[in-house]
Amino acid sequence: MHKQLKISLLFLIVVLGINTISAQNTTTITGKIVETTNGEPIEFATVLVGNPIDQKPIVGTTTLQDGSFILETTAANFYIEVSFIGFTTKRFDDPTITNGKIKLGTVVIAEDSQQLDEVVVEGEISQTVFKLDKRVFNVGADLSSTGASALEVLNNVPSVNVNIEGQISLRGSQGVQMLINGKPSVIANEQGNALGTLTADMIERIEVITNPSAKYDAEGTSGIINIVLKKEEKKGLNGAVTLNTGTPNNHSLGLSLNRRTEKFNLFSQLGFGRRTFPSDEETENRNLVDDTYISSFGQNDKNETFFNLILGTDYHINDLNVITLSGNFAYEWEKENADAIFSTFDSNNSLTDAFRRKELTEATNPKYSYELQYKKDFEGNEEQSLLLSATGNLFAKDQTSNFINTTTVGNEDDLLQQSRTDFSQAEYTFKADYTHPWAEKFTLETGAQYQINDVENDFAISNFDGVNFIDNPDLTNIFEWTQKVLGVYGTTAYESDKWGLKIGLRFEDTDVATLLQNTNVSNDKKYNNLFPSGHTSYKINDDLSLQAGYSKRIFRPRLWDLNPFYNIRNNFSISTGNADLQPEFTNSYEITSIYKLGKVSMNLGVFFRHTEDVVERIVEFQDNVSISRPENVGINNTTGVEFNAKYIPSNWLSFTNDFNYSQFTREGDFEGNSFDFKGDQWSTRLTSKFKLPADIDLEFIGNYRSGYRTLQQEITENIFMDFGARKKILKGKAIVNLSIRDVFASRIRESVTSQPEFYLRDFSQQGRFVTLGISFGFGKGEAMEFSGQKHF
């Protein structure tokens, strides 16, 4: 931890030093840009300071609404250039500096009829095309000229949806991996919404990958979205500040800053706040052998106070080499209260015992992360590149829970219990990726990744004996988990104007070790696997394209799947891990089509997934206590269809629909019992967006998820709606935002486990969340809806 703190402090000193240097020998340039026809000010005109020797830009900015600008430079020899799309460019060579200032006054520029004609010809509408293993959304003039943020651009990408709070989903699923120029970036961290500091005219294209090739981790994700920026990034200071308040108890403040110069792109984000998550909980454990049962009803309040700081910089050594260094520090204070009544009934449905169980849990969670990246492009071929990166993430949790059982019916003694956990986790990833195109239509990709996970969890459960808390030796231990994964890959691709093929192979070597120190029980696993992939695409015409893909994926059991620590919030319903758990493997096949018909864009895909060693939670029941733990149970074959449609009938109205249906067949057994069964499930999501007069936007999101079966459980269907409204003020530089999650308080989590000898029911509901926020953007930063989420 001390080492990471030193790195963070060193990084802060470097950033501050850069700012100090940039303040020396500064020349301040001011002026106002207007058009010649009527003298109206021109907003978003570009003012550029350039080097007269190599004609390359040094620093730049854009004009405000009144056409004014302020620009600073430390250069000694430079020229000033003023430009705006559709207007003639005006240049000032050898400007006169007086007392460190250049006052250009009012600069008049005229329309360029020839350039306007070119804009009409070349200004394309944004469109999506298939590129082998991905879909590419090219940002046209219809979006890049609007001043929209990256989040708004994403919302125009088929099968991608961004709700009014900035949360991104792909084909209806969240958990999307976001990349900037092909690499992870804190700017792309969905929870921070720093994407608001990027505007549409900085974006060249957006790449969507739903079935990743061998180039990417074999671990499954909901998909990958890569935002590719133009080479000519806007210079100057961009940022946004946001203040939120809401009920129940949702208050946060967020600040994002992004400063671009000739050599440096400095970015930072600061956020802190407090949130409360109340919920109503119900459980029922019914013993069908003697017809007795235990029920509980209670409330739970989880309070979180969090702080988050991001600092980073891109250093452009030259046009072909860039180094990125970023760091993140976060801290969270948790306080959780639970209060429930547990009642025991006999076979005659008569109450025999009851007690009240109260819980107070307190925890602190610090987190550190850092990232160092180097990217090299090669002269003469913009697609050739080398990317090296090293990242580190460290997380800790110090948690204590106190439980008090107070008897209200019956003769049972009162009970005091305590649980504690001292947890630490370190994750390190080292990557190298190289892309080499040749013969115009062929591309070779190769690279390697080494990932280390190192975890220690010291946990204990104690009972009070009247004097002291005594650890229960059966429920107290120190769990160590280490996982090392080495991956090496290679892909080759051919791509013509209409047809393409990409094949790849990834090798991963996995080394896992677990140890329970107190009982000296170890479980080591070492295995290696090949993960092939293949993708092809065919463009029938400009409005219809087809894509097919195959990949092999793996799910490795994570910490809480393996950790045998018991959660005793409910002594009659306990969950734990399984250190013997094996990974599950999936062969994924997918065929997708994209079709455009006027103002409607549609994606229709069918898929088949064959999964072996499926991980499912198995419930065992004894003495009215249920204990669930993950187990590997058989195979699963899933066939499904996914349909996405986006309809934009006018510039003030749009509809987006995501529909998913899957049918599965499960074959498996556990401890001699067959778990063969069939089932299906489906979900749909409809998003309606309205742009009203007075810069008011409304958003309605309706969700339905059908009920479905697992090995032992039936999950209840779910229907709910979210609502959002926002109004732009101060010419769009500020936004007032209102969001209501679960408008009708209908979103629930309910599962029923029905077996020959027992019946279990678990129910929880959080209710409605209302948030009101205001955001202000400055520079070219967009006002945005900082959600106030924690960063863990």
Side-chain angles (χ1 to χ4, degrees):
M1 294 296 180
H2 294 295
K3 183 178 179 181
Q4 305 311 318
L5 183 58
K6 290 179 181 178
I7 293 175
S8 299
L9 289 174
L10 178 60
F11 171 68
L12 182 60
I13 292 170
V14 171
V15 173
L16 292 175
I18 292 166
N19 284 326
T20 302
I21 293 172
S22 66
Q24 298 174 355
N25 301 320
T26 300
T27 300
T28 302
I29 306 167
T30 60
K32 181 177 181 179
I33 313 302
V34 301
E35 58 177 292
T36 187
T37 53
N38 52 21
E40 289 293 321
I42 299 178
E43 186 179 8
F44 302 133
T46 299
V47 184
L48 184 71
V49 172
N51 187 330
I53 298 176
D54 58 14
Q55 302 299 308
K56 291 184 178 180
I58 298 173
V59 68
T61 189
T62 55
T63 55
L64 302 177
Q65 182 189 359
D66 62 357
S68 65
F69 68 89
I70 298 177
L71 184 61
E72 294 181 346
T73 180
T74 58
N77 185 24
F78 57 87
Y79 66 86
I80 304 172
E81 186 176 273
V82 176
S83 62
F84 187 66
I85 187 170
F87 285 74
T88 57
T89 298
K90 185 166 288 191
R91 175 165 166 157
F92 301 86
D93 290 300
D94 300 319
T96 301
I97 304 174
T98 304
N99 297 326
K101 296 181 179 180
I102 297 175
K103 296 182 179 180
L104 293 181
T106 300
V107 179
V108 180
I109 57 177
E111 291 186 0
D112 186 337
S113 58
Q114 181 179 355
Q115 186 180 358
L116 285 173
D117 291 340
E118 292 175 355
V119 170
V120 172
V121 174
E122 297 178 2
E124 298 179 350
I125 299 298
S126 301
Q127 60 178 336
T128 301
V129 297
F130 277 142
K131 293 286 186 180
L132 294 178
D133 61 335
K134 58 194 173 188
R135 282 177 256 164
V136 179
F137 181 80
N138 295 302
V139 178
D142 58 323
L143 290 175
S144 63
S145 62
T146 63
S149 71
L151 294 174
E152 293 179 79
V153 176
L154 283 169
N155 215 31
N156 283 273
V157 178
S159 73
V160 176
N161 189 68
V162 183
N163 70 14
I164 209 158
E165 291 184 318
Q167 293 177 319
I168 301 167
S169 60
L170 176 59
R171 298 197 298 190
S173 300
Q174 294 184 359
V176 181
Q177 182 182 5
M178 298 295 300
L179 305 176
I180 300 289
N181 290 336
K183 54 188 175 67
S185 171
V186 292
I187 295 177
N189 186 324
E190 179 186 331
Q191 291 180 319
N193 284 346
L195 285 173
T197 63
L198 300 179
T199 50
D201 54 353
M202 300 179 189
I203 301 172
E204 179 176 313
R205 64 184 185 272
I206 294 175
E207 300 173 344
V208 178
I209 303 170
T210 58
N211 194 358
S213 70
K215 176 179 179 178
Y216 302 95
D217 287 348
E219 287 270 14
T221 66
S222 297
I224 298 171
I225 297 177
N226 179 33
I227 299 176
V228 180
L229 300 179
K230 296 177 181 177
K231 297 294 185 182
E232 305 83 13
E233 294 182 349
K234 286 190 175 181
K235 307 298 190 294
L237 180 65
N238 310 316
V241 59
T242 301
L243 177 66
N244 285 330
T245 187
T247 179
N249 192 29
N250 179 8
H251 315 290
S252 63
L253 176 66
L255 172 66
S256 295
L257 292 174
N258 182 213
R259 183 182 181 186
R260 292 181 176 87
T261 66
E262 171 75 13
K263 290 288 188 181
F264 290 95
N265 173 29
L266 306 173
F267 48 90
S268 64
Q269 188 176 87
L270 174 69
F272 59 89
R274 178 177 174 82
R275 301 185 73 173
T276 299
F277 298 91
S279 63
D280 294 324
E281 313 282 344
E282 299 177 16
T283 66
E284 181 179 347
N285 289 19
R286 187 176 292 272
N287 188 328
L288 300 181
V289 176
D290 59 15
D291 207 23
T292 61
Y293 69 95
I294 298 172
S295 66
S296 72
F297 298 88
Q299 294 79 39
N300 181 55
D301 285 315
K302 184 175 184 179
N303 299 279
E304 300 174 342
T305 302
F306 64 90
F307 168 82
N308 184 73
L309 174 65
I310 295 173
L311 288 173
T313 183
D314 296 319
Y315 172 53
H316 295 265
I317 303 172
N318 51 43
D319 290 342
L320 300 177
N321 297 272
V322 60
I323 294 177
T324 300
L325 176 63
S326 63
N328 179 16
F329 170 72
Y331 203 90
E332 180 187 32
W333 297 264
E334 287 184 3
K335 188 173 183 180
E336 190 166 0
N337 293 280
D339 192 347
I341 298 295
F342 290 80
S343 304
T344 302
F345 296 85
D346 61 18
S347 58
N348 296 318
N349 204 31
S350 299
L351 178 65
T352 58
D353 298 284
F355 64 89
R356 181 181 184 182
R357 185 170 178 83
K358 300 185 70 174
E359 172 196 348
L360 173 61
T361 294
E362 295 179 307
T364 56
N365 308 322
K367 178 181 179 181
Y368 308 82
S369 66
Y370 59 86
E371 182 174 29
L372 176 64
Q373 295 180 342
Y374 166 71
K375 185 179 182 184
K376 176 177 178 58
D377 295 323
F378 293 84
E379 193 169 3
N381 194 333
E382 64 178 11
E383 299 297 327
Q384 185 179 2
S385 65
L386 171 67
L387 177 64
L388 306 175
S389 67
T391 60
N393 294 280
L394 299 98
F395 174 71
K397 177 184 281 288
D398 185 2
Q399 177 175 296
T400 302
S401 299
N402 290 285
F403 303 90
I404 302 174
N405 287 5
T406 304
T407 299
T408 56
V409 176
N411 300 317
E412 293 291 332
D413 293 334
D414 294 345
L415 175 67
L416 299 180
Q417 283 184 300
Q418 188 179 83
S419 69
R420 63 164 177 81
T421 181
D422 185 5
F423 171 84
S424 63
Q425 176 176 355
E427 180 180 309
Y428 306 96
T429 303
F430 306 91
K431 289 186 66 176
D433 297 289
Y434 176 67
T435 302
H436 185 87
W438 85 94
E440 294 186 358
K441 296 182 179 181
F442 292 90
T443 302
L444 172 69
E445 295 175 318
T446 186
Q449 174 178 293
Y450 187 54
Q451 188 175 56
I452 304 171
N453 285 277
D454 190 2
V455 172
E456 181 176 285
N457 186 35
D458 183 355
F459 62 91
I461 294 178
S462 309
N463 294 313
F464 190 66
D465 66 355
V467 179
N468 300 305
F469 279 98
I470 306 299
D471 289 350
N472 183 336
D474 295 331
L475 303 178
T476 300
N477 221 315
I478 299 176
F479 178 70
E480 296 180 357
W481 172 58
T482 303
Q483 179 174 279
K484 301 175 182 178
V485 181
L486 172 64
V488 180
Y489 75 88
T491 71
T492 184
Y494 165 81
E495 187 171 14
S496 65
D497 293 337
K498 282 187 170 293
W499 177 78
L501 175 66
K502 182 176 184 178
I503 58 175
L505 184 64
R506 187 180 186 92
F507 169 81
E508 290 192 349
D509 181 82
T510 306
D511 190 352
V512 181
T514 65
L515 172 66
L516 290 168
Q517 285 189 11
N518 295 2
T519 52
N520 195 29
V521 177
S522 62
N523 192 337
D524 299 344
K525 301 182 183 70
K526 186 174 179 64
Y527 52 91
N528 49 67
N529 307 96
L530 293 175
F531 298 93
S533 67
H535 295 82
T536 185
S537 63
Y538 181 70
K539 181 180 178 180
I540 299 175
N541 54 49
D542 289 340
D543 295 323
L544 178 61
S545 299
L546 300 175
Q547 185 184 61
Y550 160 77
S551 67
K552 185 176 181 180
R553 317 294 295 166
I554 185 176
F555 168 76
R556 295 183 182 88
R558 313 309 294 173
L559 169 68
W560 299 110
D561 298 315
L562 301 169
N563 190 356
F565 173 72
Y566 276 51
N567 184 335
I568 61 168
R569 169 164 294 156
N570 181 341
N571 281 334
F572 300 97
S573 181
I574 296 172
S575 61
T576 185
N578 177 9
D580 295 324
L581 207 59
Q582 302 293 320
E584 64 176 33
F585 295 89
T586 299
N587 288 288
S588 178
Y589 305 83
E590 185 176 290
I591 299 176
T592 308
S593 65
I594 181 170
Y595 180 62
K596 291 179 291 182
L597 179 63
K599 297 180 178 181
V600 181
S601 62
M602 294 176 287
N603 291 272
L604 177 63
V606 294
F607 63 87
F608 173 76
R609 297 178 185 135
H610 173 78
T611 304
E612 298 181 351
D613 290 326
V614 177
V615 176
E616 287 274 10
R617 281 200 165 263
I618 300 296
V619 178
E620 295 182 339
F621 189 81
Q622 187 174 3
D623 297 329
N624 288 338
V625 176
S626 66
I627 300 177
S628 69
R629 55 183 269 165
E631 299 283 355
N632 295 105
V633 185
I635 64 173
N636 189 62
N637 292 315
T638 302
T639 304
V641 60
E642 297 176 320
F643 175 76
N644 316 101
K646 180 167 286 189
Y647 176 47
I648 307 178
S650 66
N651 58 4
W652 62 270
L653 178 64
S654 69
F655 299 97
T656 304
N657 177 246
D658 298 293
F659 175 83
N660 297 270
Y661 172 80
S662 62
Q663 186 179 56
F664 53 88
T665 302
R666 178 68 53 82
E667 298 177 6
D669 62 82
F670 178 71
E671 295 183 347
N673 297 315
S674 174
F675 283 106
D676 295 355
F677 71 98
K678 296 181 179 180
D680 63 357
Q681 65 181 105
W682 65 280
S683 65
T684 186
R685 175 189 178 102
L686 177 63
T687 302
S688 305
K689 298 186 178 183
F690 303 85
K691 290 184 178 295
L692 304 182
D695 282 329
I696 296 175
D697 294 341
L698 301 180
E699 177 182 83
F700 299 87
I701 305 175
N703 292 269
Y704 175 79
R705 300 172 186 169
S706 72
Y708 63 94
R709 285 187 58 194
T710 65
L711 284 180
Q712 293 177 299
Q713 294 182 331
E714 291 186 9
I715 311 299
T716 302
E717 65 179 358
N718 230 325
I719 184 169
F720 58 95
M721 189 183 83
D722 298 330
F723 168 77
R726 69 175 183 178
K727 174 175 171 53
K728 293 183 178 180
I729 57 178
L730 302 178
K731 304 296 184 179
K733 297 305 294 182
I735 290 177
V736 178
N737 177 66
L738 171 68
S739 70
I740 305 176
R741 289 188 180 182
D742 196 4
V743 174
F744 302 106
S746 58
R747 187 174 188 173
I748 62 172
R749 291 191 300 270
E750 183 179 36
S751 65
V752 172
T753 304
S754 183
Q755 297 294 306
E757 297 183 350
F758 63 92
Y759 169 92
L760 308 173
R761 175 179 175 268
D762 288 279
F763 173 92
S764 67
Q765 183 176 25
Q766 286 194 329
R768 185 183 300 107
F769 288 80
V770 181
T771 303
L772 177 65
I774 184 168
S775 175
F776 176 75
F778 50 89
K780 301 316 301 170
E782 286 290 305
M784 56 188 181
E785 299 77 43
F786 178 78
S787 63
Q789 298 182 46
K790 62 176 184 175
H791 297 254
F792 297 100

